[in-house]
């Protein structure tokens, strides 16, 4: 029997639902100090002085850190981008100037968290307030420059051009022009905030228990920042309560806890973020503005070319950026067969919280743009939204996009058909016609999206040719323990994705045992888990990279086990079969009662090895496999190459009615169809789809980071930010199709981020409801106040024009 | 969050007298809304403590208030910088005085308040009406003070910082010595 493909209950859930999970903030150690971070109330200000005397004199305060300590002990974090990014000085604490509200300016370690906070309030910081810039287009004028050493706010710019764009426009039957579109700022909000416990030992080693979700990367940045060799840093995780990419760069705060421990003679220091701190300064998703978009279409409504100017706002520091300036190109044409593109792409810094690779990172913004383009063109040309998509979908796979990415497999028309069936399309169309007769605003929207998984890090070289990153890899170690237990350690640090379960299913299939017989180590420990520079949980890749590493390790282990069993049982290797006997997991000789169980094999290798012959000297029953996807470095000049290995897809349909009195959009029906290739665990896949859908609906209808003109975040609590909860998620009609990937050993495609499908879908539904009112939906946020604004200021004449020849 | 207020009123007080109140930090500070105390600094500024509260969030704000610009009897301009419950605010208050005839003075006032930090995030939309109310109270207090209404002109004795006390003592000493020297001449 096969375990892969079954909805095995998650192994992790037993401890998690019983409250037996171990999170970083659960760590309680006698004598541990607690860290409070004092943050700038200003979005842009010069620090003229800091007086810490009152805080330091408070009983119970162990130490205070300021920029002066940082200057002495730290080097700026490495910047990924080329000039001027490399001129940006990014340190754990601001030293001379703050550039966003919430930027740390001092830190206090004290006996209790409350005391540390009280002491922090006694620190007097003398700020000279500077004008802030929060609008990306104004930022590009460089009248206010955040990083003087960089000399400009424009941190990256390039043009992505493919095909013959000008000819596409010359030959076009229709040209649709869209003046402006805007994708708003929000972030996924993990239930667990950032946290860590740090210890700077007297031997000069630093130990972190943390919830960073990309430790392989974090350690590479932390070590030089703290002026340490990498081997001096040990970073551990256990359970992580969600990350969604947001926890990738909490190393900035981990450094502060470590420095406080150092200053306090190696006492452990815990830092645990509050929710307001999280919203203010942990990391937001990229905000993007799309200007001067022009779309060429033939007489039938097939899109033949797109040219546009995109401005990405990455907040105050570049950190993981400007990677996002290239990553969107993984999905350049979205699900459509457009061959001619010219995208002028610029990224700017502004006095807002820095961005992080939030769920759907950079591709979601571009996919929303493409969906808006398709949807607006459909409405303007009077083509039904479903027909418009069917005219434009990619149909043949593998499909090479104009920029060299290869879509592995898919069937978008079938997904549309399935989603229509789930939602009851024809019935809703009738109801919509009736509603319109009654003057009601009822719209039906389609959103098709991609979830590109398993990055080719070579795309980083398109952003900066000097970066020493390319390809991808993941690591798995599997061994038979002394008692014959099957122990697996992964290079990934899961944060709720069910890696323990999916891994057990794969191992169980390979060894023909029960998943319960497989132990997958929880969490990650840089001292014991082997990992590569790419290791981590991000970018929808575990089903491909993680499980390919697991599968490869199983093959190696099986080779050793066969060799050993063949020797011990005096049988031909081809006659052996894996399975479970009376004494547990075993290898048996087919058709006989001869068998050797795992305990016996392990004991021979580990305790009784004088029995072994010389030809078994290499058998350790402890193997490591590194999976490397077959990538080549892209052509950085032409910005051409395969940037991602697999392309999962989702297609959603929403029926929305807007209350004419309150302007509140209400979801009347919602369907989501997923295609992530061969499914490892349908329940986990469905859970990921529901989670991504919830996040997307939250982002579309509720969640937004609103800043005022001075850089004050106005939505820094859950009461203002309004994250989605179980109370406002509609019933989701869920379905899936499977188009196995030819590029992964198991046919699976990475999934989980979801590609922001609800943002596309809800925008389309609202467009459908309000197009007759002269409204073009060119924003991604649709809270009732936003819809009210739109309804009271129809924008169609200003935003869109159509030239038909 | 930036809040801008302005308005004007007329008081039955000669311009010079009105200016005398508005241009002296010691007299002006107690007119701030929910005033608690103030302490004069050696540079002429005052650290003023006022009570603030938005809903259940209550506390004391410390404002460093300084008369930045004055032109007798035409203009007085104060700048202030304060801290309050995880936030800060900057304020500028300008008073332009015009002779309104018959011994009256027209006071045109303009206030800019910029608030930053947690309070703005937490209390967002409630701040503007509260600030408006408090500014209204301050203007009423100023009107009363300029009209010489009882209890308002009587400025409480400020708490003088030790440095300021020493400075004043030194000035007195210097003045005494100079006087003695003049007498000897």
């Amino acid at each position: 029997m096969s375990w892969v493909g079954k909805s095995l209950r998650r192994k992790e859930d037993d401890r998690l639902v019983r409250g037996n999970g171990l999170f970083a903030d659960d760590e309680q150690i006698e004598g541990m100090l607690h860290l409070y971070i004092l943050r700038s109330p200003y979005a842009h200000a010069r620090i003229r002085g800091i007086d810490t005397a009152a805080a330091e004199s408070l009983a119970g305060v162990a130490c205070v850190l300021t920029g002066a300590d940082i200057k002495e002990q730290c080097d700026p974090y490495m910047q990924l981008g080329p000039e001027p990014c490399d001129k940006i000085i990014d340190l754990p604490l601001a030293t001379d100037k703050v550039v966003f509200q919430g930027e740390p300016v001092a830190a206090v370690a004290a006996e209790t968290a409350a005391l540390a906070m009280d002491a922090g309030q006694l620190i007097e910081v003398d700020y000279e307030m500077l004008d802030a810039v929060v609008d990306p287009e104004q930022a590009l004028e460089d009248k206010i420059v955040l990083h003087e050493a960089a000399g400009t706010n424009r941190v990256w710019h390039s043009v992505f051009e493919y095909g013959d764009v000008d000819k596409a426009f010359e030959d076009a039957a229709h040209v649709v022009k869209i003046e402006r579109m805007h994708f708003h700022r929000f972030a996924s909000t993990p239930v667990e905030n950032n946290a860590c416990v740090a210890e700077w030992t007297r031997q000069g080693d630093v130990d972190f228990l943390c919830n960073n979700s990309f430790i392989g990367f974090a350690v590479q940045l932390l070590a030089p920042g703290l002026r340490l060799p990498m081997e001096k840093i040990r970073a551990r995780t256990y359970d992580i309560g969600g990350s969604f990419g947001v926890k990738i760069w909490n190393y900035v705060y981990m450094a502060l806890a470590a420095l406080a421990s150092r200053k306090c003679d190696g006492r452990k220091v815990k830092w645990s973020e509050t929710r307001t701190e999280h919203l203010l300064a942990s990391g937001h998703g990229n905000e993007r503005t799309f200007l001067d978009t022009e779309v060429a279409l033939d007489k039938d409504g097939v899109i033949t070319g797109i040219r546009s100017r995109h401005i990405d706002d990455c907040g105050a520091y570049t950190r993981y950026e400007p990677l996002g300036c290239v990553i969107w190109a993984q999905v350049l044409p979205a699900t459509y067969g457009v061959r001619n593109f010219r995208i002028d792409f610029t990224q700017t810094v502004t006095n807002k919280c820095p961005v992080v690779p939030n769920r759907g990172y950079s591709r979601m913004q571009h996919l929303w743009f493409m969906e808006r383009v398709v949807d607006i063109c459909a409405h303007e040309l009077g083509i039904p939204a479903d027909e418009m998509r069917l005219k434009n979908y990619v149909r043949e796979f593998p499909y090479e996009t104009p920029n060299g990415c290869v879509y592995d497999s898919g069937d978008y028309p079938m997904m549309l058909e399935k989603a229509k069936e789930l939602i009851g399309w024809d019935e809703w169309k009738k109801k919509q016609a009736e509603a319109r007769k009654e003057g009601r605003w009822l719209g039906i929207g389609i959103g098709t999206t991609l979830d590109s998984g398993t990055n080719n890090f070579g795309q980083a070289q398109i952003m900066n040719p000097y970066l020493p990153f390319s390809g991808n890899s993941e690591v798995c170690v599997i061994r038979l323990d002394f008692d014959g237990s099957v122990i697996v350690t992964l290079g990934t640090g899961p944060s709720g994705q069910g890696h323990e379960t999916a891994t057990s299913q794969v191992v169980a299939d390979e060894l023909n045992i029960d998943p319960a017989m497989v132990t997958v180590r929880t969490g990650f420990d840089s001292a014991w888990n082997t990992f590569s520079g790419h290791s981590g949980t991000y970018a929808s890749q575990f089903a491909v990279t993680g499980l390919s590493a697991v599968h490869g390790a199983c093959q190696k282990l099986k080779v050793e086990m066969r060799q050993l069993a063949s020797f011990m049982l005096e049988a031909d290797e081809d006659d052996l079969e894996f399975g479970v006997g009376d004494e547990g997991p075993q290898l048996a000789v087919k058709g006989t009662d001869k068998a050797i169980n795992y305990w016996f094999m392990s004991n021979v290798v580990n305790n009784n090895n004088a029995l072994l012959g010389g030809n078994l000297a290499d058998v350790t029953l402890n193997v490591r496999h590194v999976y490397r996807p077959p990538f080549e470095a892209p052509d950085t000049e032409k910005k051409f190459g395969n940037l991602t290995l697999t392309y999962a897809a989702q297609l959603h349909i929403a029926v929305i009615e807007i209350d004419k009195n309150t302007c509140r959009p209400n979801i009347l029906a919602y369907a989501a169809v997923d295609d992530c290739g061969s499914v490892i665990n349908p329940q986990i896949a469905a859970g990921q789809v529901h989670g991504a859908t919830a996040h997307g609906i939250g982002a579309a209808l509720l969640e937004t980071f609103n800043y005022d003109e001075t850089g004050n975040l106005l939505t820094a609590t859950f009461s203002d930010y309004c994250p989605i909860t179980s109370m406002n998620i509609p019933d989701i009609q869920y379905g899936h199709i499977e188009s196995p990937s030819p590029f992964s050993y198991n046919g699976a495609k990475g999934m989980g981020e979801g590609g922001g499908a609800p943002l596309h879908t809800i925008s389309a539904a609202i467009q459908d409801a309000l197009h007759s009112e002269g409204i073009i939906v060119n924003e991604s946020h649709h809270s009732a106040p936003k819809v009210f604004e739109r309804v009271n200021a129809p924008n169609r004449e200003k935003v869109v024009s159509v030239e038909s020849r | 969050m930036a809040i801008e207020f302005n308005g004007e009123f007329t008081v039955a007080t000669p311009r010079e007298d009105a200016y005398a109140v508005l241009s002296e930090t010691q007299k002006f500070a107690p007119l701030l809304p929910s005033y608690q105390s103030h302490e004069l600094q050696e540079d002429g500024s005052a650290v003023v403590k006022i009570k603030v509260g938005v809903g259940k969030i209550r506390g004391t704000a410390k404002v460093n208030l300084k008369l930045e610009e004055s032109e007798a009897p035409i203009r007085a301009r104060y700048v202030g910088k304060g801290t309050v419950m995880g936030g800060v605010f900057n304020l500028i208050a300008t008073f332009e005085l015009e002779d309104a005839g018959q011994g009256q003075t027209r006071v045109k006032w303009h206030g800019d308040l910029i608030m930053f930090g947690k309070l703005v995030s937490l209390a967002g939309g409630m701040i503007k009406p509260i600030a408006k109310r408090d500014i209204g109270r301050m203007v009423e207090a100023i009107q009363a003070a300029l009209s010489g209404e009882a209890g308002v002109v009587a400025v409480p004795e400020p708490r003088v910082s030790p440095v300021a006390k020493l400075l004043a003592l030194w000035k007195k000493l210097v003045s005494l010595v100079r006087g003695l020297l003049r007498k000897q001449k």
Side-chain angles (χ1 to χ4, degrees):
Chain A
M1 84 179 269
S2 173
W3 291 99
V4 167
K6 292 211 159 30
S7 284
L8 186 71
R9 290 179 73 172
R10 292 188 356 140
K11 295 177 89 173
E12 298 87 340
D13 289 346
D14 184 67
R15 71 170 182 280
L16 292 172
V17 298
R18 291 175 197 277
N20 293 327
L22 177 62
F23 298 88
D25 192 39
D26 290 335
E27 187 86 333
Q28 301 291 342
I29 298 161
E30 183 71 24
M32 184 169 68
L33 297 168
H34 297 262
L35 193 75
Y36 171 77
I37 296 173
L38 181 69
R39 297 169 182 279
S40 168
Y42 292 104
H44 199 194
R46 216 168 288 287
I47 300 170
R48 292 194 294 210
I50 299 185
D51 182 354
T52 60
E56 281 171 314
S57 65
L58 200 66
V61 169
C63 79
V64 176
L65 293 172
T66 66
D69 298 284
I70 301 304
K71 277 182 182 169
E72 259 177 39
Q73 297 172 43
C74 297
D75 286 325
Y77 290 118
M78 181 182 81
Q79 297 295 313
L80 298 177
E83 198 174 345
C85 298
D86 58 351
K87 303 279 193 307
I88 292 172
I89 297 167
D90 186 10
L91 289 160
L93 284 181
T95 54
D96 305 308
K97 192 180 166 189
V98 291
V99 287
F100 70 99
Q101 188 182 53
E103 182 165 8
V105 290
V108 183
E111 299 295 340
T112 67
L115 189 61
M117 186 182 273
D118 284 349
Q121 302 302 315
L122 296 175
I123 296 174
E124 298 269 357
V125 185
D126 182 13
Y127 295 102
E128 177 195 347
M129 190 186 111
L130 303 170
D131 287 338
V133 60
V134 293
D135 179 280
E137 288 168 74
Q138 283 175 14
L140 287 171
E141 292 170 9
D142 280 341
K143 287 178 184 162
I144 296 163
V145 174
L146 273 72
H147 303 283
E148 279 111 359
T152 177
N153 296 324
R154 180 189 299 252
V155 288
W156 203 82
H157 172 257
S158 196
V159 177
F160 295 72
E161 182 156 0
Y162 307 98
D164 191 342
V165 182
D166 293 334
K167 186 163 189 316
F169 278 86
E170 277 167 27
D171 296 346
H174 309 282
V175 173
V176 176
K177 296 181 180 176
I178 310 164
E179 184 216 26
R180 166 185 296 269
M181 291 186 272
H182 180 249
F183 189 90
H184 74 292
R185 180 175 271 250
F186 61 89
S188 306
T189 47
V191 70
E192 177 205 26
N193 289 326
N194 289 309
C196 75
V197 177
E199 180 185 16
W200 195 301
T201 70
R202 290 181 184 177
Q203 292 74 40
D205 298 307
V206 182
D207 179 87
F208 291 105
L209 174 65
C210 62
N211 55 15
N212 185 285
S213 56
F214 195 178
I215 283 179
F217 178 71
V219 171
Q220 292 180 63
L221 292 165
L222 261 174
L226 293 171
R227 298 180 186 158
L228 290 172
M230 267 181 65
E231 56 94 14
K232 287 281 187 187
I233 293 183
R234 178 183 182 189
R236 298 174 287 132
T237 64
Y238 202 70
D239 288 308
I240 298 179
S243 168
F244 314 111
V246 177
K247 285 176 179 157
I248 284 179
W249 75 266
N250 60 16
Y251 61 82
V252 178
Y253 298 122
M254 288 162 64
L256 281 178
L259 291 165
S261 172
R262 183 187 204 178
K263 201 168 178 178
C264 298
D265 296 325
R267 287 178 72 178
K268 288 200 174 191
V269 175
K270 180 194 276 188
W271 172 69
S272 188
E273 188 183 54
T274 65
R275 182 57 67 183
T276 291
E277 281 180 297
H278 185 84
L279 294 172
L280 189 66
S282 68
H284 296 171
N286 295 57
E287 184 179 346
R288 199 168 291 170
T289 308
F290 308 93
L291 299 167
D292 308 324
T293 302
E294 295 182 340
V295 189
L297 301 105
D298 72 10
K299 61 180 177 31
D300 298 320
V302 174
I303 298 174
T304 54
I306 295 176
R307 51 193 179 202
S308 187
R309 196 156 61 85
H310 300 180
I311 299 172
D312 190 87
D313 174 356
C314 70
Y317 288 102
T318 40
R319 292 188 178 157
Y320 206 74
E321 297 299 322
L323 269 179
C325 298
V326 173
I327 281 179
W328 63 270
Q330 293 171 9
V331 292
L332 171 77
T335 50
Y336 306 107
V338 190
R339 301 300 306 174
N340 305 298
F341 278 94
R342 184 186 299 137
I343 306 289
D344 181 299
F345 200 99
T346 304
Q347 189 173 61
T348 182
V349 287
T350 57
N351 292 113
K352 291 186 279 194
C353 177
V355 299
V356 290
N358 182 57
R359 191 173 200 168
Y361 177 44
S362 191
R363 295 98 85 210
M364 168 174 60
Q365 288 81 347
H366 183 73
L367 289 158
W368 179 82
F369 162 77
M370 286 296 294
E371 284 295 292
R372 290 312 310 130
V373 162
V374 169
D375 205 59
I376 290 170
C377 288
H379 277 89
E380 291 301 310
L381 300 179
I383 301 170
D386 53 340
E387 277 180 35
M388 183 70 179
R389 282 163 174 86
L390 289 169
K391 284 173 190 287
N392 284 281
Y393 279 147
V394 168
R395 304 247 179 180
E396 301 290 326
F397 295 90
Y399 175 78
E400 186 179 275
T401 66
N403 60 331
C405 293
V406 182
Y407 290 2
D408 48 349
S409 61
D411 191 337
Y412 310 137
M414 188 194 280
M415 293 175 80
L416 179 58
E417 198 180 312
K418 190 161 182 94
K420 280 176 153 184
E421 193 183 306
L422 281 172
I423 206 152
W425 177 271
D426 295 336
E427 193 57 31
W428 274 114
K429 277 286 177 191
K430 281 182 204 155
K431 286 182 187 170
Q432 183 184 38
E434 287 162 17
R436 284 185 171 167
K437 277 183 202 161
E438 294 165 16
R440 287 155 57 198
W441 292 336
L442 195 143
I444 305 174
I446 301 168
T448 321
T449 201
L450 292 170
D451 194 347
S452 49
T454 306
N455 283 335
N456 175 358
F457 275 71
Q459 63 203 282
Q461 293 176 359
I462 294 175
M463 181 269 292
N464 181 357
Y466 300 104
L467 274 187
F469 300 131
S470 69
N472 197 329
S473 55
E474 193 48 272
V475 189
C476 172
V477 173
I478 182 166
R479 72 172 195 270
L480 294 195
D481 221 336
F482 285 9
D483 62 355
S485 309
V486 181
I487 309 292
V488 185
T489 55
L490 303 167
T492 59
S495 47
Q497 295 83 353
H499 290 186
E500 292 171 42
T501 308
T503 299
S504 298
Q505 288 178 268
V506 170
V507 174
D509 272 2
E510 289 303 317
L511 300 180
N512 196 21
I513 59 177
D514 190 288
M517 295 169 172
V518 181
T519 301
V520 181
R521 291 280 184 230
T522 303
F524 180 87
D525 185 335
S526 64
W528 302 111
N529 291 54
T530 64
F531 59 104
S532 69
H534 306 114
S535 284
T537 302
Y538 57 92
S540 298
Q541 61 175 22
F542 180 75
V544 175
T545 55
L547 293 183
S548 294
V550 171
H551 179 257
C554 285
Q555 304 313 309
K556 287 180 177 172
L557 181 67
K558 283 164 72 176
V559 168
E560 290 196 0
M561 290 170 78
R562 280 182 197 279
Q563 284 176 336
L564 185 62
S566 163
F567 172 76
M568 298 296 293
L569 299 172
E570 296 178 337
D572 194 281
E573 283 186 34
D574 292 340
D575 291 336
L576 297 171
E577 62 184 3
F578 287 84
V580 181
D582 293 341
E583 294 179 1
Q586 65 177 24
L587 260 86
V589 182
K590 287 177 200 163
T592 73
D593 59 355
K594 284 166 66 176
I596 181 169
N597 72 5
Y598 286 11
W599 171 82
F600 202 94
M601 280 194 274
S602 179
N603 192 58
V604 167
V605 170
N606 293 300
N607 297 319
N608 199 11
N609 51 25
L611 293 174
L612 297 176
N615 61 335
L616 295 173
D618 291 337
V619 171
T620 62
L621 302 182
N622 185 350
V623 299
R624 174 179 189 262
H625 182 72
V626 180
Y627 167 72
R628 295 186 188 91
F631 282 131
E632 290 176 8
D635 181 331
T636 55
E637 284 282 305
K638 293 180 181 166
K639 301 182 184 68
F640 186 94
N642 192 13
L643 307 183
T644 322
L645 195 68
T646 63
Y647 286 84
Q650 283 191 23
L651 195 145
H652 293 203
I653 297 179
V655 181
I656 288 182
E657 178 160 14
I658 297 166
D659 185 308
K660 290 187 95 165
N661 293 317
T662 63
C663 287
R664 181 169 182 258
N666 298 305
I667 297 176
L668 305 182
Y670 201 98
V673 174
D674 175 57
D675 175 7
C676 60
S678 304
V679 179
I680 309 298
N681 183 319
Q683 191 182 40
I684 291 178
Q688 292 278 14
V689 172
H690 278 77
T693 304
H695 262 153
I697 292 173
L701 297 179
L702 302 163
E703 304 172 32
T704 179
F705 287 121
N706 282 336
Y707 280 89
D708 70 12
E709 67 284 359
T710 56
N712 251 317
L713 179 61
L714 303 177
T715 50
T717 69
F718 266 177
S719 62
D720 302 303
Y721 183 76
C722 297
I724 194 156
T725 69
S726 57
M727 300 301 288
N728 39 25
I729 296 174
D731 283 338
I732 297 165
Q733 305 298 314
Y734 168 70
H736 79 278
I737 69 164
E738 286 193 20
S739 52
S741 173
F743 302 148
S744 60
Y745 90 90
N746 51 8
K749 303 176 184 185
M751 59 93 68
E753 292 185 88
L759 284 141
H760 323 330
T761 310
I762 291 170
S763 295
I766 290 176
Q767 179 66 85
D768 193 40
L770 296 179
H771 189 259
S772 58
E773 304 296 313
I775 290 159
I776 292 296
V777 172
N778 61 347
E779 294 267 346
S780 53
H781 191 53
H782 310 290
S783 60
K786 274 277 176 195
V787 175
F788 177 82
E789 271 174 34
R790 252 177 239 145
V791 166
N792 284 285
N795 61 352
R796 185 174 167 210
E797 283 189 13
K798 184 172 180 284
V799 172
V800 169
S801 64
V802 181
E803 278 176 33
S804 292
R805 298 163 186 164
Chain B
M1 173 180 276
I3 309 171
E4 197 182 330
F5 296 102
N6 53 60
E8 62 177 66
F9 56 85
T10 302
V11 286
T13 307
R15 191 152 65 146
E16 285 71 18
D17 294 351
Y19 176 79
V21 172
L22 289 175
S23 63
E24 195 174 329
T25 311
Q26 190 180 331
K27 288 182 180 167
F28 178 70
L31 305 177
L32 292 180
S34 305
Y35 165 86
Q36 284 187 313
S37 67
H38 74 278
E39 191 172 290
L40 289 175
Q41 306 294 300
E42 56 185 292
D43 64 353
S45 67
V47 176
V48 189
K49 284 188 178 168
I50 55 175
K51 270 189 192 170
V52 291
V54 181
K56 298 280 182 194
I57 311 166
R58 306 205 153 264
T60 302
K62 219 164 69 171
V63 194
N64 192 295
L65 190 71
K66 190 174 183 180
L67 179 68
E68 196 182 64
E69 190 189 327
S70 63
E71 186 183 349
I74 299 169
R75 183 184 308 111
R77 183 170 183 263
Y78 286 92
V79 293
K81 202 168 165 183
T83 55
V84 54
M85 291 106 77
V88 293
F89 59 91
N90 295 358
L91 67 90
I92 299 172
T94 309
F95 301 93
E96 306 270 357
L97 308 179
E98 289 174 8
D99 199 338
Q102 297 174 328
Q104 296 191 103
T105 304
R106 186 177 302 112
V107 180
K108 290 184 176 172
W109 58 273
H110 184 98
D112 286 300
L113 175 69
I114 309 179
M115 298 194 71
F116 304 88
K118 210 184 287 178
L119 187 64
V120 179
S121 308
L122 291 171
M126 293 161 72
I127 287 178
K128 271 194 182 172
I130 289 170
K132 194 176 174 184
R133 182 199 66 194
D134 284 351
I135 296 277
R137 283 179 183 171
M138 183 179 83
V139 170
E140 279 172 19
I142 291 170
Q143 277 183 278
L146 298 184
S147 307
E149 285 177 16
V152 183
V153 190
V155 175
E157 193 62 34
R159 285 214 304 256
V160 181
S161 73
V163 180
K165 276 181 185 167
L166 273 175
L167 199 69
L169 199 64
W170 174 250
K171 280 179 183 169
K172 270 188 183 171
L173 201 63
V174 169
S175 153
L176 196 68
V177 171
R178 277 183 182 158
L180 283 172
L181 286 173
R182 272 199 295 273
K183 275 183 186 171
Q184 278 180 356
K185 278 176 188 174

